[in-house]
Amino acid sequence: MTALFDPTAYPSTSVEWIKKLIAYDTTSRESNLELIHDVQAYLQQQGLETVLTHDASGRKANLFATIPAADGTRTGGIVLSGHTDVVPVDGQNWSSDPFKAEVRDDRLYGRGTCDMKGFVGVTLQLVPEMLATRLAKPIHLAYSYDEEVGCVGAPVMIDDLVRRGVQPEGCVVGEPTSMRTIVAHKGINAYRCRVHGHAAHSSLTPKGVNAIEHAARIITAIRDLADDYKSMGPYDHDFDVPFTTLQTSMIRGGIALNTVPDLCEFEFEYRNLPGVDPEPILQEIREFIDLKVLPAMRREHPDAVVELEKLASAPGLNPEEQAAITKLVRELTRDDTVRKVAYGTEAGLFQQAGIPSIICGPGNIEQAHRPDEYVELAQVEQCEQFLRALIRSQAVTA
């Protein structure tokens, strides 16, 4: 795929920017480098320095750029953060090409319009206005990879910021919130469990170790733990789902009806309230495996093994109502309602690095990841107004 736009000429509206970003298939399993390199070229044409941080394979990159303050300062200031990857469209029934955004009925349809190339497109559209403003403090642009598979890219970028001493004073993560302020979200922890049994002919079941059956016991224990959190808490009723949740989402095992399966693997996740330590949850699952499941398996065969592999984790976001960024976003959006959400974002990672963060962006989260994903054009315009007000708030006043 060739570059979709000439970096020496930027689109005249945010909608055109969003359309161009949508045309890059940056599904998390794919590389995002074409998008990143073309956006980098555009920003460099605007006279900005950019920093790329890559994944281990070199196929993906984060991009960080700074619009410096009027006096040249590049540290402090506010980060505008968005991810460049999107979820797959496999098996979904779309009314139009998901990677060719189109406007219908005052909505912009396409994969990522809502989550979250809409916000990224608006920030790129407003770069010339940021440059034209005499800023008292810098504004930073942070575009990450692999948020959709567990916030994998952002930690690489944040570690680089820490090493370079950039230390922003606040961060706005533009996930879809219908342009309302979100002050907290849950943590997310994802694991793969591999249960290794012992194969045998199904007529000789006592000579085998049925990996699927023992995996089922672990899965049931995870569900029991989920039921405990649902019935006993702790609770935070400011959240849309006010308790910690657990679920098993994928499972694979077995090769034939007449064979005792020697392998079963499944993925599970849990989403903890910000005040709930995620480690004891994992420890309880490990203890069930070590004290209940493994001894039973090894009575059947001594070589039985259960493995747990961490796939991804990202911390929850705690409310920071007294933080300057929270007060600023609440003032600009005229929104004082306390909202907390079950989905995860990169905001918790910025907060963990000492950068107070809040979530506010165009689109409704209910449209994310679905076929015919869309963002309302009114939301895009509202985001433009919000970010223009934010830029003005950072201008030199005297």
Side-chain angles (χ1 to χ4, degrees):
M1 177 176 174
T2 57
L4 293 175
F5 56 91
D6 179 354
T8 64
Y10 49 86
S12 59
T13 70
S14 295
V15 169
E16 291 306 309
W17 264 116
I18 300 167
K19 285 183 176 181
K20 292 180 183 297
L21 296 173
I22 296 301
Y24 292 91
D25 180 358
T26 53
T27 305
S28 300
R29 63 184 175 230
E30 307 292 343
S31 171
N32 74 335
L33 288 183
E34 275 197 294
L35 182 153
I36 288 293
H37 287 160
D38 283 351
V39 170
Q40 180 185 37
Y42 162 72
L43 294 174
Q44 289 175 340
Q45 190 273 334
Q46 301 296 311
L48 298 177
E49 295 181 8
T50 60
V51 176
L52 301 188
T53 49
H54 293 80
D55 72 342
S57 72
R59 295 180 62 248
K60 300 180 181 183
N62 304 302
L63 186 155
F64 191 87
T66 298
I67 296 87
D71 63 2
T73 300
R74 295 177 177 273
T75 59
I78 294 175
V79 178
L80 304 178
S81 173
H83 62 82
T84 62
D85 63 317
V86 297
V87 298
V89 299
D90 303 9
Q92 294 185 337
N93 184 22
W94 283 71
S95 301
S96 56
D97 185 340
F99 297 106
K100 186 176 181 180
E102 63 178 56
V103 175
R104 303 194 303 271
D105 301 322
D106 296 323
R107 296 171 175 175
L108 181 62
Y109 288 84
R111 174 57 87 221
T113 50
C114 170
D115 186 16
M116 59 177 298
K117 291 178 177 178
F119 180 80
V120 172
V122 174
T123 61
L124 289 169
Q125 170 64 23
L126 295 182
V127 165
E129 295 183 34
M130 298 177 198
L131 288 166
T133 303
R134 294 188 68 246
L135 297 173
K137 295 182 179 180
I139 296 176
H140 311 278
L141 305 176
Y143 306 135
S144 64
Y145 65 84
D146 281 2
E147 188 273 348
E148 295 289 6
V149 292
C151 298
V152 174
V156 179
M157 177 167 53
I158 293 170
D159 287 347
D160 179 71
L161 299 184
V162 173
R163 283 194 298 271
R164 293 192 288 119
V166 177
Q167 196 53 44
E169 297 166 358
C171 176
V172 177
V173 176
E175 290 278 4
T177 69
S178 298
M179 292 308 300
R180 301 177 298 179
T181 55
I182 302 293
V183 297
H185 65 68
K186 293 181 179 180
I188 182 169
N189 310 268
Y191 289 85
R192 177 179 293 120
C193 180
R194 292 189 180 92
V195 180
H196 298 269
H198 186 74
H201 193 281
S202 62
S203 64
L204 303 171
T205 55
K207 295 184 179 296
V209 182
N210 193 308
I212 291 177
E213 293 175 354
H214 288 288
R217 290 175 175 168
I218 303 171
I219 292 169
T220 300
I222 291 171
R223 174 56 190 259
D224 290 343
L225 189 55
D227 290 342
D228 288 344
Y229 276 105
K230 182 178 181 179
S231 62
M232 296 185 292
Y235 303 104
D236 183 338
H237 291 285
D238 287 329
F239 276 89
D240 44 3
V241 179
F243 47 85
T244 294
T245 61
L246 300 89
Q247 71 138 2
T248 300
S249 55
M250 297 180 67
I251 186 168
R252 295 168 293 277
I255 59 170
L257 178 63
N258 62 353
T259 303
V260 174
D262 65 349
L263 175 64
C264 181
E265 63 179 31
F266 62 91
E267 281 85 51
F268 67 93
E269 66 160 25
Y270 54 94
R271 294 175 182 255
N272 57 293
L273 294 173
V276 173
D277 186 349
E279 287 306 313
I281 299 174
L282 180 63
Q283 185 60 33
E284 189 165 350
I285 296 170
R286 286 187 186 277
E287 287 180 358
F288 180 82
I289 293 170
D290 292 341
L291 299 179
K292 300 289 186 180
V293 176
L294 266 178
M297 294 178 68
R298 286 175 176 168
R299 283 194 294 269
E300 297 172 355
H301 197 283
D303 294 336
V305 174
V306 178
E307 301 173 311
L308 280 179
E309 175 192 0
K310 179 186 284 189
L311 300 177
S313 65
L317 174 67
N318 285 289
E320 293 185 276
E321 290 291 353
Q322 300 308 309
I325 190 65
T326 306
K327 292 180 178 179
L328 174 61
V329 171
R330 286 201 178 285
E331 177 184 353
L332 297 179
T333 59
R334 299 179 182 179
D335 182 5
D336 293 327
T337 303
V338 174
R339 296 186 186 86
K340 304 176 183 180
V341 294
Y343 61 82
T345 79
E346 296 168 337
L349 292 162
F350 282 99
Q351 184 182 65
Q352 191 176 63
I355 305 168
S357 300
I358 196 164
I359 311 163
C360 185
N364 189 320
I365 192 64
E366 293 183 2
Q367 301 305 323
H369 301 190
R370 299 176 61 176
D372 286 346
E373 176 183 349
Y374 69 82
V375 64
E376 294 181 358
L377 297 182
Q379 285 278 300
V380 175
E381 182 178 353
Q382 191 174 346
C383 183
E384 291 174 352
Q385 294 170 353
F386 163 69
L387 289 180
R388 284 191 172 102
L390 185 147
I391 294 167
R392 291 193 298 270
S393 76
Q394 302 303 296
V396 175
T397 58

